[in-house]
Structures are given as structure tokens and as C-alpha cells.
Amino acid sequence: MAGRVVRRRWLRHPAQTIVVGFAAAILVGTALLMLPVASTGAGGTDFVTALFTSTSAVCVTGLVVVDTGTYWSAFGEVVILALIQLGGLGIMTFASVVGLLISRRMGLRTRLSAAAETKAVGLADIRKVVTGVVKVSLLVEAAVALVLGLRFWLAYDESPGRAAYLGVFHSISAFNNAGFALWADSLIGYVTDPWVCVPIALAVIFGGLGFPVWFELRREIRRPKVWSMHTKMTISVTVGLLVLGTVFMTASEWSNPDTLGAFSAPQRVFVGFFHAVMPRTAGFNSLDVGAMNDSTLLGTVVLMFIGGGSAGTAGGIKVTTFILLFFVIYAEVRGESRVNAFDRQVDDRVIRQALTVALLSVGAVVGSTLLLMSLTGLPLGPVLFEATSAFATVGLSTGITYDLPTSADLVLVGLMFLGRLGPITLVSALALRERRRHYELPEGRPIIG
């Protein structure tokens, strides 16, 4: 009886359940990848390599310590693909269901207001949420796989079977923002091919928006004025970051002979757009990231840290957190007592959650960067890039991942797990553990600045 009570207490919170579930998936994936049949070489894979790859797949990151297309066998690639799909669907489903659980803990008036604002489904429709996530995911993946498969078959002389496999693998990897590719140089061989890069970029964007946004756009796509605050924030910031990111990437690398300098002007803009999409936590690259200018790498770090939309396959602190903090600063600069955004007043609890997620994320990236520098002896630039890429579950790399010591690999494993589950677990824990204090302390005003 006592053991049963302890078990119930341990798994009574949704955040605990998802952490245990993802850890179990990573361990199962590690065991499968350690099997001799999973790799092309003699014998099985060592534990750290299998653990790193399994964590990167389940957390839909894309960082690798071995070349995916040559090191792993067909069985190993299928395991990685299954882990990517499991991780992507798991995050989207969990985040969507947690939204319903949070609304359940609200008071009646607050719940009615939230339902009117978000147009969310009722608590009895959790099955509808889950099946909706699965249906939309499979539909998008199938469409992108079809386009990619036909392109690889008709334009690159791949056999129909191989072309279909390449289409399915990279479609699932793109939609789930994983960034795993079956070529050692990722998509550099297809840098100016719109029939490869555009479907992958669109899948990345769509996967990064999040199911609540899809659900609302499906019903109200022609009436943006009635969109919820969440959808307005996600769409507007996503479009803004894509435009600004494209301009920045293209301008920063315009004359770099090792990246965009070798292409025509239209091609430079096209490739710049592709590389503005990828820091949204996809991880594919059609240029040599290690050859980019320092300013480009710093801008990419910022984009990676922001990430994509909530309840989607993207990582980072999320675009809603980023824009909400902007409105907090804007209100403070104007001397306003309340934070308003998109014709709505922002709840103080949401502001505290955004600040908590952002500051803890900064602490995680800075702390891990210092630790990695001490373990590897590498300079700040590439280490900061690698740490941010792991925490934001992006998968882009300047090329140092293959040569890191085992201790650094384990740090990145922890970062990927923390970055994938940390923000959503923290927010759900804060929201579901809300409690009122029965007394108020005297007000204090420390000097700021």
C-alpha cells in the first residue's frame, strides 16, 4: 500500500509523467541503437554514441556525433526515424493536453473567458486533440514526402524505392524540426534546388507553429481579427522573424565567398531565406555553418534561442515568450501599470512565467557554455553556438560535435533533454501548482539600476 501511494504521488503531475515517458523512450532507443544490427560496422555501438543519438532524435534536435547516413544501418535509421516521430508527436500532444488541464484548474469565470479567447475544445475532447495532432502531422508529412520523393526520383536518378525512403525520412525529420539528414553535408548538395529546400522549409515552419494555431487557423483563417492572442502572437512574430532573419542572413553573408558569395543575387536571397528558417530549431543546413561570419553566427544564436511556437515541434523559449517580454519592456518604458498586447490585457501570472522561463534558459545556456569551455578548451564562439543549438533543440553545428570528448557529449545530452522538456514542464508545473496566499506582506521597493 505504501509503495502504491508513493507511486501515485510521484506520477500525479503531468510534467512528471512526460519526463518519465521521454526518459524511457530515450533509454529504449539507446538499447536498440546499441544492437549490432543497428550499425554498419562490426559489433555494436558504444553506449555514449547510442545515448547521444537517441536523445537527439527523441528531443528532435539533430546534433550527431557520427554520420547518420553511413554509420547507421537501415534498421538504425528506422529506429532514429521512429524516435523522431515519437518525440515530435509526444511534445505536441502533451503541450495541447496540458493546456486543457490548466484551464480545468481555473475558476469558472476565468475558464469561460479563456475558452472564449482561445476557442479551445472542451475537456471532454482530449481525444479530439490527440487525434487532431496525429492527423495533421501525418497529412503534412505525407504531402512533403511525396514532393521530395518525386524530386529525388526524377531529378537525381534515385530508384523509386530509395527516392520514397529519402522523401519519408526527410519529411518526418523536417516537420518534427529534427534536422537529421542522410547526407554528411546535410542539404548542401541541394542548396539552390527549390523542390527540395522549399518543401522542407515549409514543413519546418508548419511544425513549429503548434497545434493550437493550426486548430484555430483551420476554422478562422479568413478572419484574423477574431484570432486569439496566442495565434496573433505566434503568426506575427513568426512572419517578422522570418523576414528579418532572411534580410540579416542574406546581408551578413552576401560577400562571403565561402557561403553566399558564390551564387547569383536571387539565389543568395533564396538560400538566405532557407537559413533564416532553420534556426527555428530545424537544424538542416545548405551552407557550411563553420564558414559563416561571426556576426551571422551570433544572429543565428539569437534566433535559435527564441525558437518557434508553443505546443509545436520547435524548441527555444518560444516566440510568445519573446514577444511578451517585449511588451513588458514597452509598458514599463511608457510608465503603464498594466501590460497590454493585441487588444488584450496580459495576466500577471503569465508575465512571471515568461520571465522565469527566459531567465532560467539564459542561465542554462551560459552555465553549460562555461562548463563546455572548461571541458574542451575551445573558444567561446563555437561553444556558445553548440550549447544554444542543443538547448534550443536546433541541431545546427559549426562542426565541433564530432570531436568533443565524452564528458562534453554527456553535457550536450543533458542540455537537449532539458531544452526539450524544461520550458514546457516548468510552465505546466507553475500553472498547475498555483495557490493563493492568505496574507500579504508589506510592500518593499529596492533600488533598480
Side-chain angles (χ1 to χ4, degrees):
M1 179 66 70
R4 197 173 298 171
V5 171
V6 170
R7 192 179 300 112
R8 285 177 181 172
R9 287 181 177 178
W10 167 242
L11 295 178
R12 67 180 179 178
H13 195 285
Q16 296 171 343
T17 304
I18 194 66
V19 169
V20 172
F22 267 69
I26 289 172
L27 292 177
V28 171
T30 301
L32 291 174
L33 291 176
M34 290 178 68
L35 296 175
V37 71
S39 57
T40 55
T45 301
D46 65 277
F47 174 75
V48 174
T49 300
L51 175 65
F52 191 100
T53 305
S54 179
T55 304
S56 184
V58 173
C59 297
V60 291
T61 304
L63 286 175
V64 293
V65 290
V66 293
D67 177 39
T68 305
T70 57
Y71 183 88
W72 302 108
S73 65
F75 175 82
E77 292 174 1
V78 170
V79 169
I80 292 172
L81 198 63
L83 294 175
I84 292 172
Q85 187 74 85
L86 178 65
L89 289 177
I91 281 293
M92 287 188 291
T93 302
F94 172 71
S96 300
V97 171
V98 162
L100 297 178
L101 294 175
I102 291 174
S103 68
R104 183 180 180 181
R105 291 289 297 273
M106 297 176 180
L108 178 60
R109 180 176 298 178
T110 306
R111 289 172 63 183
L112 291 175
S113 300
E117 165 64 18
T118 62
K119 300 175 181 62
V121 295
L123 289 172
D125 291 330
I126 289 181
R127 180 182 297 179
K128 185 177 180 181
V129 171
V130 175
T131 56
V133 169
V134 174
K135 287 180 180 178
V136 171
S137 301
L138 296 181
L139 179 63
V140 175
E141 290 170 353
V144 175
L146 178 62
V147 175
L148 293 177
L150 289 174
R151 185 60 175 175
F152 292 137
W153 176 35
L154 299 175
Y156 295 97
D157 297 326
E158 297 284 357
S159 66
R162 176 64 177 173
Y165 176 70
L166 290 173
V168 170
F169 187 98
H170 294 92
S171 172
I172 293 176
S173 182
F175 177 77
N176 290 286
N177 282 211
F180 277 85
L182 295 180
W183 301 282
D185 58 358
S186 191
L187 299 180
I188 290 180
Y190 308 94
V191 58
T192 58
D193 189 341
W195 291 99
V196 173
C197 293
V198 170
I200 287 178
L202 292 178
V204 169
I205 295 171
F206 201 75
L209 289 177
F211 181 73
V213 175
W214 311 336
F215 190 83
E216 188 168 348
L217 290 181
R218 187 182 67 177
R219 296 175 303 154
E220 307 288 358
I221 191 170
R222 296 183 179 180
R223 298 198 301 163
K225 290 184 178 181
V226 302
W227 291 352
S228 66
M229 178 192 290
H230 174 77
T231 297
K232 289 179 180 178
M233 282 184 169
T234 303
I235 295 296
S236 60
V237 180
T238 295
V239 172
L241 289 178
L242 288 176
V243 172
L244 293 176
T246 300
V247 173
F248 170 76
M249 292 287 181
T250 306
S252 181
E253 294 296 315
W254 186 269
S255 58
N256 186 344
D258 296 323
T259 55
L260 293 183
F263 303 110
S264 65
Q267 289 175 334
R268 294 179 193 183
V269 176
F270 173 75
V271 179
F273 164 75
F274 185 81
H275 274 269
V277 174
M278 292 307 115
R280 300 187 55 73
T281 77
F284 293 105
N285 63 283
S286 60
L287 295 174
D288 182 4
V289 177
M292 290 181 175
N293 297 321
D294 290 341
S295 58
T296 308
L297 294 178
L298 180 58
T300 304
V301 166
V302 174
L303 291 175
M304 291 192 298
F305 187 75
I306 295 172
S310 300
T313 55
I317 64 171
K318 305 297 189 294
V319 294
T320 45
T321 303
F322 171 74
I323 192 63
L324 182 57
L325 294 179
F326 168 80
F327 281 113
V328 170
I329 296 173
Y330 181 75
E332 188 63 29
V333 170
R334 288 173 57 89
E336 297 176 352
S337 60
R338 303 292 299 179
V339 177
N340 301 308
F342 296 94
D343 300 322
R344 292 290 187 273
Q345 185 179 106
V346 182
D347 192 290
D348 289 340
R349 294 169 298 178
V350 179
I351 296 173
R352 292 197 301 268
Q353 291 169 11
L355 287 169
T356 302
V357 169
L359 292 177
L360 288 180
S361 298
V362 169
V365 171
V366 172
S368 59
T369 299
L370 292 173
L371 180 58
L372 287 171
M373 290 177 65
S374 66
L375 292 174
T376 63
L378 294 172
L380 173 63
V383 173
L384 175 63
F385 191 96
E386 203 81 6
T388 306
S389 181
F391 178 79
T393 67
V394 178
L396 290 174
S397 175
T398 56
I400 68 173
T401 315
Y402 290 96
D403 302 321
L404 293 178
T406 299
S407 56
D409 288 339
L410 294 177
V411 171
L412 292 179
V413 166
L415 263 180
M416 288 188 286
F417 191 79
L418 176 64
R420 177 73 276 181
L421 297 178
I424 187 174
T425 301
L426 176 62
V427 169
S428 63
L430 291 174
L432 294 175
R433 289 188 60 189
E434 180 189 351
R435 55 191 177 191
R436 292 186 177 276
R437 187 188 294 267
H438 297 292
Y439 61 91
E440 295 292 339
L441 297 173
E443 188 178 86
R445 286 184 176 272
I447 300 174
I448 302 298

